[in-house]
Amino acid sequence: MKLKVGILGATGYTGAELLRLLVSHSGVEISWLTSEKFSGKKISEVFPQFRNLLDLECVNIARLGTLSKVDLAFSCLPHGTSMHFVEKLLLAGARVIDFSADFRFRDGDIYESWYKVKHTYKNFLEEAVYGLPEIYREKIRGAKLVANPGCYSTTVILGLAPIVSEGLLKEDSVIVDSKSGLSGAGRAPSLEHHFSESNESASVYGVKGHNQRPEIEQELSNLTGNPVNVTFIPHMIPMSRGILTTIYAKLDEGKSHEDIWNSYKQYYLRDSFVRIYEKGKFPSVKNVRFSNFCDIGVGFQEGVFISVVTLDNLGKGASGQAVQNMNIMFDFPEDEGLKYPGMYP
Amino acid sequence: MKLKVGILGATGYTGAELLRLLVSHSGVEISWLTSEKFSGKKISEVFPQFRNLLDLECVNIARLGTLSKVDLAFSCLPHGTSMHFVEKLLLAGARVIDFSADFRFRDGDIYESWYKVKHTYKNFLEEAVYGLPEIYREKIRGAKLVANPGCYSTTVILGLAPIVSEGLLKEDSVIVDSKSGLSGAGRAPSLEHHFSESNESASVYGVKGHNQRPEIEQELSNLTGNPVNVTFIPHMIPMSRGILTTIYAKLDEGKSHEDIWNSYKQYYLRDSFVRIYEKGKFPSVKNVRFSNFCDIGVGFQEGVFISVVTLDNLGKGASGQAVQNMNIMFDFPEDEGLKYPGMYP
Amino acid sequence: MKLKVGILGATGYTGAELLRLLVSHSGVEISWLTSEKFSGKKISEVFPQFRNLLDLECVNIARLGTLSKVDLAFSCLPHGTSMHFVEKLLLAGARVIDFSADFRFRDGDIYESWYKVKHTYKNFLEEAVYGLPEIYREKIRGAKLVANPGCYSTTVILGLAPIVSEGLLKEDSVIVDSKSGLSGAGRAPSLEHHFSESNESASVYGVKGHNQRPEIEQELSNLTGNPVNVTFIPHMIPMSRGILTTIYAKLDEGKSHEDIWNSYKQYYLRDSFVRIYEKGKFPSVKNVRFSNFCDIGVGFQEGVFISVVTLDNLGKGASGQAVQNMNIMFDFPEDEGLKYPGMYP
Amino acid sequence: MKLKVGILGATGYTGAELLRLLVSHSGVEISWLTSEKFSGKKISEVFPQFRNLLDLECVNIARLGTLSKVDLAFSCLPHGTSMHFVEKLLLAGARVIDFSADFRFRDGDIYESWYKVKHTYKNFLEEAVYGLPEIYREKIRGAKLVANPGCYSTTVILGLAPIVSEGLLKEDSVIVDSKSGLSGAGRAPSLEHHFSESNESASVYGVKGHNQRPEIEQELSNLTGNPVNVTFIPHMIPMSRGILTTIYAKLDEGKSHEDIWNSYKQYYLRDSFVRIYEKGKFPSVKNVRFSNFCDIGVGFQEGVFISVVTLDNLGKGASGQAVQNMNIMFDFPEDEGLKYPGMYP
């Protein structure tokens, strides 16, 4: 019997990508999906790419209580809103994968100060598992509530985990420069992301502090046991999908390029979605678009350690990772429905 | 036991797309693949997106005779070259799907006059089947040699088949204006397709006569029994994937918009990859990218019939269609490995 | 003394382009500019590209009566709105170039039926001059009110004028397939023109009838003296600037490709902004972007005449053409401020 | 009488941009231009955007000795080649602006070790002036030979000059992350810059050491009097024009954000092409494309100083800057022919 899943907020970009992945997953049946904006419409009217593939009607979330029981619910709702529905679903007995930041923090106060939202379900923070399988695979397996990581955070944590967990990082030396495609900014129209404005341009944002920084710092600190601070600046570049993150750091001495590279290979030995490039080679976004892979290349420039990480912001950075988490939680092969390469060219 | 397949010329864009599709096909095993340029290299070195997924080494085609016997070979070689290897494979007992134009024509003279190449295997022309499943499904099932259609041709034939086969087309009235993404121009670098030259531009080519025109005319003529001539102008527009073809035609009178629309719905009733849009709606490229769907919308403007067709030039326009043909030839479900929506956004 | 000009609705795309052109025009001084959305802001805050170049404050149009008298006003307001302010300006003694469709039609009823707006100043329609200098240069010179043509219309009228005015066109045979960049859709954000939606896509719109069709038909009919009907389908393709229009027509017999080409060369002999390509060559958008040129290539395919026209929708298709009109109206050299090539690459 | 100029290597991207700028410059007459690849062709055949504007024939550089004497020659030849022709021109009495790196270094050995080319005209190195007007305006005025700066170098030097010259920079703390459009990679076709490969992708290059790094280090060291080392990683992002450079540095304490911002405003007070953004605002590429502006925004993130710099790699990063240098050398107003905003949208 197939796993029954429901999706909250299915008509944004993460929702669309999740639907795409679930439609070709052999073990899943989508029971319902919600959308405030498009309730009453068929999903194939909202997203014509699903014609002949998926015909479910979007339901208003107000009717959540009337919907059938599911084994797993995905919440693609925005932070602040998501927590309320996650609670309802947990109480109704479903396991939940939440795409928002609502349950990513151990410390609710950090959440509140960065997201400017009162957290009313802090009691769930302890049992929530940060859904990065390469770090927390075993905890995810048994989790009732998985907080799916942020897209930028995934690049930085995976791009630094091997050296951070070995304690090689010099304190306060980490500079993170991320370049993201525009789907990361969501589906709501705005002047800034209007085609003619963002096409043939590039810009920086969040210089004062992007809200994925505390999440990065929490996880890197967990890995090393000491507080890790990062400087993190995200950029928008004119493509639809993908992130390339360039990380600059200083390492404690005594390790060669070869040593470091071996640490990365070793660290991700069991992780089929993380691909470490040969020394001197670095990944490009083209090779991971629309996939669940996270590609990493490491090198040095005059003593500064460089880690270059690419992934698809809606793939391994969101919906792909959520499906990977689902596979772990429900004993599917971890790569079920995700075993395909980046879309090329 | 899995179907054993070989691929000739696997390192162009159609080859890369075919590999992607076969890697996720449940019933196929890739026995070998050839590449002159990259022989000796692993395919994951040529196309890093295949790391962790496919590790086969590219073989020089000169060694074709030494390679293992396969059930099916795909030839992604260019026209003029392909026919020689297709013959060898047929004689060796394999069935063949040929991406080139070498076996698309019933009349070898037409091929020779358009392609400026001597055809040395005209004896195969009669048994070769034109690989458009929506028209020739039954013949494809038993074919030894399938000539996979051109990308533009697929848009035009599917976009007109219902009215052509009903004999509704006024003679010599067909104007075909196609807009293609740049992957259609292949992977060989050239000034014309250099990023900074083709980005933010659009241009027309082949005004004197593009070599897919005779193929379109042959197939439309077959459908109606009378010679059909078309005016066909292809354009390059700045995107990587996809074709949008706008067809203008005059119809014999007496049929309403509703009638015509019903004819289209009826004609493609059994064809899950052709999607007819509601009256007043027209497809866009976004919804078919990287998929095997062909989307069609029909309408009228002041008595002129308009058919708008979209597909992915490397999907339903090449490698996706080849996999569909393979599925038919070897009794897989026709949508095996192809059952996913266009990649969005 | 410099010409004093005012601009109504300066903060859309045509306004921004007009400002750019006027800033480098040797004989013009911008007296004021209006914007409802940004009134009170400096134009260099709205458009940071004007920092160090232009510092005028945007004025609310409600204060039009209080603004200084100008020799010329440009109205970049939308149709329906524009006419009211055009009237005021004319009565105040300014000459006016109106970008909207409000004064493009001789017959106010055609305007009303296509634009669904009541025309309350039909008395001005007779004296308004259609601002296409290649056709109406002498009338423009003395005009008080110039109706600046539509961007698509400019491509079609210039692309057909030589054969239409010679009476060579077969009736009802004209098919116009236009491909436009997205700045043509304006600056107001919408889902359809959101970056990730329109990037890597192409779509058709206005199949039922785009509102520039009656304008095209009016002008072509004027040129030949007989009613000319066209089928006109515009498309959106993923670039910021530029239009490529492909025109298909049947001609009365007896003229060779050479004859036709000579007619085009002859017709535009005095028109430095229209460039006729050699036989067998066709223009691409890249060569006209951000310029005031209109490039044309003509050819035949099996008896069907093909005219391929490119221009920049905001240049020769709007603001460049307006400046050309201004130059004519006020006795500047016609190419003053416009004498530069397309921006490349 | 107009200034007579010649151009070596006019048919690459910097040459095309230089021609565009010179064509609209009021005080210049182009006497000749060379191109090996296109010798014998008219420039308007090579670059159709120049039809009706410039009709000069490309001359083979072998015929340099036979060409008319000019007041100024621009060399757009590649490094290693350029120096030979620069010497000839200097000896023939012309002043020269060299786009290559051949005369950018005080120390010829640094050049040789980075560029792997023997420098055979080291005698000119001392008199050559590094052509960054904001730093060397007075020296440029009298220079016979100006070495036009690299595009990346211009972003970094201008982005750091105010704090470097005040001695505020903590040693060895500078991280430079640059994002460039693809025209920076030149006009020669390659797989890497083939449209379908670089579109919708982003990648890093030169991790081992890009050859503009020593140039950056030389100039920053000159400004402070002490050796300055930088970590510099360039990236390719999918747009035709423009660079956005993000610079991360640590400063000696005691200065506020306000102080730093004032230093920048003060430092560039006389420099009309450098625009300092308000505190909290940062420039985007869109606002400088095709212009000679260099836009800078400065800020802090948790004690790390951030300088964000944008310019057009072919404008202020190459040909625009060369024209600015020419204006200074020949007593034109510094902004002659350059007084227009970035092309938008």
Side-chain angles (χ1 to χ4, degrees):
Chain A
M1 218 181 59
K2 293 204 171 185
L3 186 77
K4 289 187 195 321
V5 307
I7 303 171
L8 300 174
T11 57
Y13 286 150
T14 54
E17 185 73 355
L18 182 61
L19 287 170
R20 166 173 89 82
L21 293 171
L22 294 179
V23 157
S24 11
H25 193 289
S26 64
V28 170
E29 183 186 308
I30 304 171
S31 298
W32 45 257
L33 43 85
T34 78
S35 166
E36 283 181 273
K37 213 167 174 180
F38 300 101
S39 70
K41 285 204 166 180
K42 286 190 172 179
I43 194 69
S44 59
E45 287 175 89
V46 181
F47 296 132
Q49 70 269 26
F50 286 107
R51 285 160 180 256
N52 290 16
L53 291 170
L54 190 68
D55 243 1
L56 279 174
E57 194 182 299
C58 302
V59 180
N60 194 303
I61 202 168
R63 289 178 42 211
L64 181 58
T66 72
L67 297 173
S68 66
K69 194 165 168 349
V70 292
D71 302 303
L72 172 67
F74 295 93
S75 169
C76 303
L77 298 171
H79 71 263
T81 303
S82 194
M83 60 174 98
H84 305 290
F85 298 96
V86 167
E87 189 231 13
K88 283 189 215 306
L89 287 158
L90 288 171
L91 296 182
R95 294 166 83 180
V96 177
I97 296 174
D98 180 17
F99 283 58
S100 87
D102 287 357
F103 297 99
R104 289 184 196 156
F105 294 90
R106 299 270 169 95
D107 179 345
D109 295 346
I110 292 180
Y111 172 85
E112 291 180 345
S113 79
W114 279 88
Y115 286 85
K116 315 293 176 205
V117 167
K118 181 83 191 153
H119 202 303
T120 46
Y121 307 94
K122 289 187 182 166
N123 51 314
F124 288 118
L125 289 178
E126 195 166 350
E127 70 169 298
V129 176
Y130 191 74
L132 195 53
E134 289 74 12
I135 313 280
Y136 296 109
R137 185 173 285 112
E138 290 318 310
K139 286 189 173 176
I140 291 164
R141 207 176 297 283
K144 284 214 64 175
L145 169 55
V146 167
N148 215 47
C151 52
Y152 290 124
S153 305
T154 301
T155 65
V156 185
I157 301 165
L158 294 181
L160 285 177
I163 53 167
V164 168
S165 57
E166 288 193 42
L168 295 177
L169 201 64
K170 262 194 190 152
E171 273 181 28
D172 289 349
S173 73
V174 183
I175 304 283
V176 178
D177 188 294
S178 286
K179 299 92 182 160
S180 175
L182 275 97
S183 61
R187 200 172 177 238
S190 68
L191 180 59
E192 203 178 345
H193 306 118
H194 195 50
F195 182 88
S196 302
E197 301 287 321
S198 40
N199 182 38
E200 295 293 290
S201 193
S203 57
V204 67
Y205 70 106
V207 172
K208 283 205 175 162
H210 186 280
N211 61 25
Q212 290 191 30
R213 202 179 77 204
E215 178 184 338
I216 294 167
E217 292 180 339
Q218 165 183 288
E219 294 302 319
L220 293 181
S221 301
N222 278 350
L223 284 170
T224 177
N226 297 314
V228 176
N229 297 313
V230 305
T231 301
F232 168 52
I233 308 271
H235 301 73
M236 279 287 155
I237 63 173
M239 58 188 190
S240 294
R241 302 277 294 239
I243 293 178
L244 184 148
T245 292
T246 314
I247 308 172
Y248 304 83
K250 288 184 182 159
L251 304 190
D252 286 329
E253 281 158 47
K255 294 278 183 176
S256 68
H257 188 176
E258 180 76 20
D259 292 339
I260 299 294
W261 185 80
N262 279 327
S263 295
Y264 274 76
K265 289 295 284 186
Q266 199 59 37
Y267 192 91
Y268 293 115
L269 210 57
R270 301 159 313 139
D271 297 305
S272 63
F273 290 117
V274 178
R275 304 187 290 198
I276 308 302
Y277 279 48
E278 291 80 42
K279 283 191 301 297
K281 302 225 163 157
F282 295 90
S284 65
V285 167
K286 189 63 103 186
N287 297 320
V288 296
R289 288 193 318 147
F290 298 93
S291 85
N292 196 48
F293 287 104
C294 174
D295 287 4
I296 302 176
V298 293
F300 281 87
Q301 185 177 117
E302 302 281 334
V304 175
F305 172 70
I306 316 283
S307 176
V308 178
V309 187
T310 58
L311 53 71
D312 186 300
N313 53 303
L314 297 176
K316 180 65 175 167
S319 308
Q321 185 135 277
V323 170
Q324 187 182 353
N325 282 322
M326 175 190 79
N327 287 339
I328 294 169
M329 291 163 80
F330 292 91
D331 280 328
F332 295 111
E334 191 168 326
D335 59 4
E336 179 63 33
L338 297 170
K339 209 175 169 175
Y340 51 83
M343 297 289 138
Y344 167 93
Chain B
M1 215 180 61
K2 294 203 170 186
L3 187 77
K4 291 185 195 320
V5 308
I7 302 169
L8 299 174
T11 56
Y13 286 149
T14 53
E17 184 72 354
L18 182 61
L19 287 170
R20 167 172 87 84
L21 294 170
L22 295 179
V23 157
S24 12
H25 193 289
S26 64
V28 170
E29 181 187 309
I30 304 170
S31 299
W32 45 257
L33 46 84
T34 79
S35 167
E36 284 182 272
K37 213 167 173 181
F38 299 101
S39 70
K41 285 204 168 179
K42 286 190 171 176
I43 194 70
S44 60
E45 289 176 87
V46 180
F47 295 131
Q49 70 268 29
F50 286 107
R51 286 161 181 255
N52 291 16
L53 292 169
L54 190 69
D55 241 3
L56 278 174
E57 192 182 300
C58 301
V59 180
N60 194 304
I61 202 168
R63 289 178 41 211
L64 180 59
T66 72
L67 296 174
S68 65
K69 195 163 168 347
V70 291
D71 302 303
L72 171 68
F74 296 92
S75 170
C76 303
L77 298 170
H79 72 262
T81 302
S82 192
M83 60 174 96
H84 305 291
F85 298 97
V86 167
E87 190 231 13
K88 281 189 217 305
L89 287 159
L90 289 170
L91 296 181
R95 295 167 83 180
V96 177
I97 296 174
D98 181 19
F99 283 58
S100 88
D102 287 357
F103 298 98
R104 290 183 195 156
F105 294 90
R106 300 268 168 94
D107 179 345
D109 295 347
I110 290 180
Y111 172 86
E112 290 180 344
S113 79
W114 278 88
Y115 286 85
K116 315 295 178 203
V117 166
K118 182 82 191 152
H119 202 304
T120 46
Y121 306 94
K122 289 186 182 167
N123 51 314
F124 288 116
L125 290 177
E126 195 166 348
E127 69 170 298
V129 176
Y130 189 75
L132 196 53
E134 289 75 13
I135 313 280
Y136 296 110
R137 185 172 285 115
E138 290 317 310
K139 286 191 172 174
I140 290 165
R141 208 177 295 283
K144 283 215 62 173
L145 171 55
V146 167
N148 214 50
C151 52
Y152 289 124
S153 305
T154 300
T155 65
V156 185
I157 301 165
L158 295 180
L160 285 176
I163 53 168
V164 168
S165 57
E166 287 191 42
L168 296 177
L169 202 64
K170 262 197 191 149
E171 273 180 30
D172 290 348
S173 72
V174 183
I175 305 281
V176 178
D177 187 293
S178 286
K179 300 90 182 159
S180 176
L182 275 100
S183 61
R187 200 171 177 238
S190 68
L191 180 59
E192 205 179 344
H193 306 119
H194 194 50
F195 182 87
S196 301
E197 301 287 322
S198 40
N199 182 39
E200 294 293 292
S201 193
S203 57
V204 67
Y205 69 106
V207 173
K208 284 206 171 162
H210 185 279
N211 61 25
Q212 290 191 31
R213 203 178 78 205
E215 179 184 338
I216 294 166
E217 293 179 341
Q218 164 183 288
E219 293 303 318
L220 294 181
S221 301
N222 277 352
L223 284 170
T224 177
N226 297 314
V228 176
N229 297 314
V230 304
T231 301
F232 168 53
I233 307 270
H235 301 73
M236 279 288 156
I237 63 173
M239 57 188 189
S240 294
R241 303 276 294 241
I243 294 177
L244 185 149
T245 292
T246 315
I247 308 173
Y248 304 84
K250 288 184 183 160
L251 304 190
D252 284 329
E253 284 158 43
K255 295 277 184 179
S256 68
H257 189 176
E258 180 76 20
D259 292 339
I260 299 295
W261 185 80
N262 280 326
S263 294
Y264 274 76
K265 290 295 285 185
Q266 197 59 38
Y267 193 89
Y268 292 116
L269 211 57
R270 301 160 313 140
D271 297 305
S272 63
F273 290 117
V274 179
R275 304 186 290 199
I276 307 303
Y277 278 47
E278 291 79 41
K279 284 191 301 296
K281 300 226 163 157
F282 295 89
S284 65
V285 166
K286 188 63 98 185
N287 297 320
V288 296
R289 288 193 319 146
F290 297 95
S291 86
N292 196 48
F293 287 102
C294 174
D295 286 5
I296 302 177
V298 294
F300 282 87
Q301 183 175 121
E302 302 281 332
V304 176
F305 172 70
I306 316 282
S307 176
V308 178
V309 187
T310 58
L311 53 70
D312 185 301
N313 53 303
L314 298 176
K316 181 65 177 167
S319 308
Q321 184 137 277
V323 170
Q324 189 183 355
N325 281 321
M326 176 190 79
N327 286 340
I328 296 168
M329 292 164 79
F330 292 92
D331 281 327
F332 294 111
E334 192 168 324
D335 59 4
E336 178 65 32
L338 298 169
K339 211 174 168 173
Y340 51 84
M343 297 290 140
Y344 168 91
Chain C
M1 217 182 62
K2 294 204 171 186
L3 186 77
K4 291 188 196 317
V5 308
I7 302 169
L8 300 175
T11 55
Y13 286 150
T14 55
E17 185 72 354
L18 182 61
L19 287 171
R20 167 173 88 84
L21 294 170
L22 295 178
V23 157
S24 14
H25 194 288
S26 63
V28 170
E29 182 187 307
I30 304 171
S31 298
W32 45 258
L33 44 83
T34 78
S35 167
E36 283 181 273
K37 212 169 175 178
F38 301 100
S39 70
K41 286 204 167 180
K42 287 192 170 175
I43 194 70
S44 59
E45 288 175 88
V46 181
F47 295 132
Q49 70 270 25
F50 285 108
R51 286 161 180 254
N52 292 14
L53 292 170
L54 191 68
D55 241 2
L56 281 174
E57 193 181 300
C58 301
V59 180
N60 194 303
I61 203 167
R63 291 177 41 211
L64 181 58
T66 73
L67 297 173
S68 65
K69 195 168 168 343
V70 292
D71 303 303
L72 172 67
F74 296 92
S75 170
C76 303
L77 299 171
H79 71 262
T81 302
S82 193
M83 59 174 98
H84 305 291
F85 297 97
V86 167
E87 190 231 14
K88 283 189 216 304
L89 287 159
L90 289 171
L91 296 181
R95 295 167 82 181
V96 178
I97 296 174
D98 180 18
F99 284 58
S100 88
D102 287 356
F103 298 97
R104 289 183 195 157
F105 295 89
R106 299 269 169 94
D107 180 344
D109 295 347
I110 291 181
Y111 172 85
E112 291 180 345
S113 79
W114 279 87
Y115 287 85
K116 316 292 177 207
V117 167
K118 182 82 190 153
H119 202 302
T120 46
Y121 307 95
K122 288 186 182 167
N123 50 316
F124 288 118
L125 289 178
E126 194 165 350
E127 68 168 299
V129 176
Y130 190 75
L132 195 54
E134 290 75 12
I135 313 280
Y136 296 110
R137 185 173 285 113
E138 291 318 309
K139 286 189 173 174
I140 291 164
R141 208 176 297 284
K144 282 214 63 175
L145 170 54
V146 168
N148 215 48
C151 52
Y152 290 124
S153 305
T154 300
T155 66
V156 185
I157 300 166
L158 294 180
L160 285 176
I163 54 168
V164 168
S165 58
E166 287 192 44
L168 295 177
L169 202 63
K170 262 195 192 152
E171 271 179 30
D172 290 348
S173 72
V174 183
I175 304 283
V176 177
D177 187 295
S178 286
K179 298 94 182 157
S180 175
L182 275 97
S183 61
R187 198 171 178 240
S190 68
L191 180 59
E192 204 178 344
H193 306 119
H194 194 50
F195 182 88
S196 302
E197 301 287 320
S198 40
N199 181 40
E200 295 293 294
S201 192
S203 57
V204 67
Y205 69 106
V207 172
K208 284 207 172 162
H210 185 278
N211 62 22
Q212 290 192 32
R213 203 178 80 204
E215 179 184 339
I216 294 167
E217 293 179 340
Q218 165 183 288
E219 294 303 318
L220 294 181
S221 301
N222 278 351
L223 285 170
T224 179
N226 296 315
V228 177
N229 298 313
V230 305
T231 301
F232 168 53
I233 307 270
H235 301 73
M236 279 288 155
I237 63 174
M239 58 190 190
S240 294
R241 303 276 293 240
I243 294 178
L244 185 148
T245 292
T246 314
I247 308 171
Y248 304 84
K250 288 183 183 162
L251 304 189
D252 285 329
E253 283 158 43
K255 295 278 184 176
S256 67
H257 187 175
E258 180 76 21
D259 292 339
I260 298 293
W261 185 79
N262 279 326
S263 296
Y264 273 75
K265 290 294 285 185
Q266 199 59 38
Y267 192 91
Y268 292 115
L269 210 57
R270 302 159 313 138
D271 297 305
S272 63
F273 289 118
V274 179
R275 305 187 291 199
I276 308 302
Y277 278 48
E278 292 80 40
K279 284 191 298 298
K281 300 225 163 158
F282 295 90
S284 65
V285 167
K286 188 62 103 185
N287 296 319
V288 296
R289 288 193 318 147
F290 297 94
S291 86
N292 196 48
F293 287 103
C294 173
D295 286 5
I296 302 177
V298 293
F300 283 86
Q301 183 177 119
E302 303 281 333
V304 175
F305 171 69
I306 316 282
S307 176
V308 178
V309 187
T310 58
L311 53 71
D312 186 300
N313 52 304
L314 297 176
K316 180 65 175 166
S319 308
Q321 185 135 277
V323 170
Q324 188 182 355
N325 282 323
M326 175 190 78
N327 286 340
I328 295 168
M329 292 163 79
F330 292 91
D331 281 328
F332 295 111
E334 193 169 324
D335 59 4
E336 180 62 32
L338 298 170
K339 211 175 169 174
Y340 52 84
M343 297 290 139
Y344 166 91
Chain D
M1 217 181 60
K2 293 204 171 184
L3 186 77
K4 290 185 196 319
V5 307
I7 302 169
L8 300 174
T11 55
Y13 286 149
T14 54
E17 184 73 353
L18 182 61
L19 288 169
R20 166 172 89 84
L21 294 171
L22 295 178
V23 157
S24 13
H25 193 287
S26 63
V28 169
E29 182 187 309
I30 303 171
S31 298
W32 45 257
L33 46 83
T34 79
S35 167
E36 284 182 274
K37 210 167 175 181
F38 300 101
S39 70
K41 286 206 166 177
K42 286 190 172 176
I43 193 69
S44 59
E45 289 175 88
V46 181
F47 295 131
Q49 70 268 29
F50 286 107
R51 286 161 181 257
N52 290 15
L53 292 170
L54 190 69
D55 242 2
L56 280 174
E57 192 182 301
C58 301
V59 180
N60 193 301
I61 201 168
R63 288 178 43 211
L64 180 58
T66 72
L67 296 173
S68 66
K69 194 165 169 345
V70 291
D71 302 303
L72 172 67
F74 295 93
S75 170
C76 303
L77 298 171
H79 72 263
T81 302
S82 192
M83 61 174 96
H84 305 291
F85 297 96
V86 167
E87 189 231 14
K88 282 189 218 305
L89 287 159
L90 289 171
L91 296 181
R95 293 166 84 180
V96 177
I97 295 173
D98 182 18
F99 283 57
S100 87
D102 287 358
F103 298 99
R104 288 182 197 159
F105 295 89
R106 300 270 169 94
D107 180 346
D109 295 346
I110 291 180
Y111 172 85
E112 291 181 343
S113 78
W114 279 88
Y115 286 85
K116 316 293 177 203
V117 167
K118 180 83 192 155
H119 202 303
T120 47
Y121 306 93
K122 289 186 182 166
N123 51 316
F124 287 117
L125 290 178
E126 195 166 350
E127 68 168 300
V129 176
Y130 190 74
L132 195 53
E134 289 74 13
I135 313 279
Y136 296 109
R137 187 172 283 114
E138 290 318 309
K139 286 190 173 173
I140 291 163
R141 208 177 296 283
K144 285 215 61 176
L145 169 55
V146 167
N148 214 49
C151 51
Y152 289 123
S153 304
T154 301
T155 64
V156 185
I157 301 165
L158 294 180
L160 285 177
I163 51 166
V164 168
S165 58
E166 288 192 42
L168 295 178
L169 201 65
K170 262 194 191 153
E171 273 180 29
D172 289 349
S173 72
V174 183
I175 304 282
V176 177
D177 187 293
S178 286
K179 299 90 182 161
S180 176
L182 276 97
S183 61
R187 201 173 176 237
S190 68
L191 179 59
E192 204 178 344
H193 307 118
H194 194 51
F195 182 87
S196 302
E197 301 285 323
S198 38
N199 182 39
E200 296 293 293
S201 192
S203 57
V204 66
Y205 70 106
V207 173
K208 283 206 173 162
H210 186 279
N211 61 24
Q212 288 191 32
R213 202 179 80 203
E215 180 184 339
I216 294 166
E217 292 179 339
Q218 164 182 288
E219 294 303 318
L220 294 181
S221 301
N222 277 351
L223 284 171
T224 179
N226 297 313
V228 177
N229 297 313
V230 304
T231 301
F232 169 52
I233 307 270
H235 301 73
M236 279 288 156
I237 63 173
M239 57 188 190
S240 294
R241 303 276 292 242
I243 293 177
L244 185 148
T245 292
T246 314
I247 308 172
Y248 303 84
K250 289 185 182 159
L251 305 189
D252 285 330
E253 286 160 41
K255 295 277 182 176
S256 68
H257 188 176
E258 180 76 21
D259 293 337
I260 298 294
W261 185 79
N262 279 326
S263 294
Y264 273 76
K265 289 296 285 184
Q266 199 59 37
Y267 193 91
Y268 292 116
L269 208 58
R270 301 158 313 139
D271 297 304
S272 63
F273 290 118
V274 179
R275 304 186 291 199
I276 307 302
Y277 278 48
E278 292 78 42
K279 282 191 301 297
K281 300 226 164 158
F282 295 90
S284 66
V285 167
K286 188 63 100 185
N287 296 319
V288 296
R289 289 194 317 146
F290 297 95
S291 85
N292 196 50
F293 287 103
C294 173
D295 286 4
I296 302 177
V298 293
F300 282 86
Q301 184 176 118
E302 303 281 331
V304 176
F305 172 70
I306 316 282
S307 176
V308 178
V309 187
T310 58
L311 53 70
D312 185 300
N313 54 303
L314 298 175
K316 181 65 176 167
S319 307
Q321 184 137 277
V323 170
Q324 188 183 354
N325 281 323
M326 176 189 79
N327 286 341
I328 295 168
M329 291 163 79
F330 292 92
D331 281 328
F332 294 111
E334 193 169 324
D335 60 2
E336 179 64 34
L338 297 170
K339 211 174 168 174
Y340 51 85
M343 297 289 140
Y344 166 91

